[in-house]
Amino acid sequence: KKLPEGLEPAKLQILVAERKITFTKESFDALAANKDLQVLIVATNIDSYLSDSSIVSLDDEFLEKILQSDINNSAKIEIIKLMDLEALVSLPERSALVGQIINRENIKITNLSASSAQSLIINANPIAAQISLFNQYNSLMSDEEVHYVLGKLPRPFSEIKTGYVTPRLKNTVENRGLVEWLDSRNIISSWSVDSFLSDDIKVNLYRRS
């Protein structure tokens, strides 16, 4: 129940990893000199922490380290819900990490704002994940914000704006979902599948706004 004194970090790591140390505020604080061991004791006892996150007070920087640890994805989603997601706007690396987890679990986070959703999409990787997140969270955004995100994506997605070009997208599930809601929101004029030549999705734009 109490952290043994005088043990070297490697041996403490074994005790923590093998759940030989009871997870309490006292045992957590006793590891204050070694942040990696603090992360390990929380990650090893993640169910206990999530059942009562008041056991220890953790800032978002610490929670980000928990997201990078070896815990299951459903626990990572619960950790994300504890974070200040508005801060993602100025933290591209954290946005990429959070976006990857959300997209992998295909779970909609309800406390996202339009600006934090934009950050998730813009910083996600690869492009399929960006489009998947865009499809999931576009309802949070105004048409102007949708255009802004499109402009931040690589070609040919960045070409989806007013004009005389006809962007062509690969015919994937994510891309079909994208053009469907873009069409329903009248952000594009129409779309079709080029079944004759390439099976690409042809995106027809409005000529002027």
Side-chain angles (χ1 to χ4, degrees):
K1 294 183 179 180
K2 186 179 180 181
L3 204 68
E5 296 181 3
L7 284 184
E8 59 190 74
K11 291 181 178 178
L12 284 175
Q13 181 177 353
I14 293 170
L15 290 177
V16 171
E18 295 297 323
R19 300 178 184 271
K20 301 302 183 183
I21 303 297
T22 304
F23 177 50
T24 62
K25 183 181 186 304
E26 290 70 29
S27 60
F28 178 83
D29 290 344
L31 295 168
N34 192 319
K35 181 63 69 69
D36 289 341
L37 286 180
Q38 284 190 315
V39 171
L40 179 62
I41 197 170
V42 176
T44 303
N45 298 276
I46 193 63
D47 291 338
S48 297
Y49 171 71
L50 290 174
S51 67
D52 182 10
S53 59
S54 66
I55 295 175
V56 291
S57 179
L58 305 179
D59 60 23
D60 280 7
E61 184 177 347
F62 193 101
L63 292 177
E64 183 177 354
K65 291 183 181 296
I66 296 295
L67 291 180
Q68 295 168 335
S69 69
D70 187 22
I71 62 174
N72 62 65
N73 284 333
S74 59
K76 290 182 179 183
I77 291 294
E78 296 306 312
I79 292 292
I80 288 170
K81 291 177 181 178
L82 296 174
M83 301 175 80
D84 175 15
L85 299 182
E86 281 302 305
L88 295 177
V89 176
S90 57
L91 297 168
E93 291 184 2
R94 185 179 296 172
S95 289
L97 174 64
V98 170
Q100 178 188 50
I101 294 166
I102 292 175
N103 185 60
R104 187 166 55 225
E105 284 298 286
N106 196 26
I107 292 176
K108 191 162 187 176
I109 302 295
T110 57
N111 58 331
L112 275 181
S113 67
S115 56
S116 54
Q118 289 174 66
S119 184
L120 287 185
I121 297 160
I122 292 169
N123 292 292
N125 188 57
I127 185 61
Q130 290 182 290
I131 301 306
S132 178
L133 289 167
F134 206 1
N135 292 344
Q136 194 169 11
Y137 292 106
N138 76 88
S139 61
L140 298 176
M141 303 174 213
S142 66
D143 289 355
E144 182 179 355
E145 289 168 329
V146 168
H147 281 293
Y148 171 77
V149 174
L150 286 169
K152 292 292 184 179
L153 298 179
R155 295 179 61 191
F157 302 95
S158 60
E159 297 176 327
I160 301 177
K161 52 190 175 181
T162 55
Y164 290 87
V165 298
T166 304
R168 302 175 75 94
L169 313 179
K170 290 183 179 180
N171 192 349
T172 65
V173 172
E174 293 86 5
N175 291 347
R176 286 197 300 275
L178 174 71
V179 294
E180 285 171 0
W181 67 258
L182 287 173
D183 190 15
S184 70
R185 291 182 58 166
N186 291 318
I187 291 173
I188 61 174
S189 174
S190 62
W191 65 277
S192 60
V193 174
D194 186 357
S195 57
F196 178 66
L197 292 176
S198 64
D199 198 41
D200 285 346
I201 297 172
K202 296 194 301 181
V203 183
N204 301 310
L205 308 176
Y206 286 109
R207 302 310 183 196
R208 58 176 64 88
S209 56

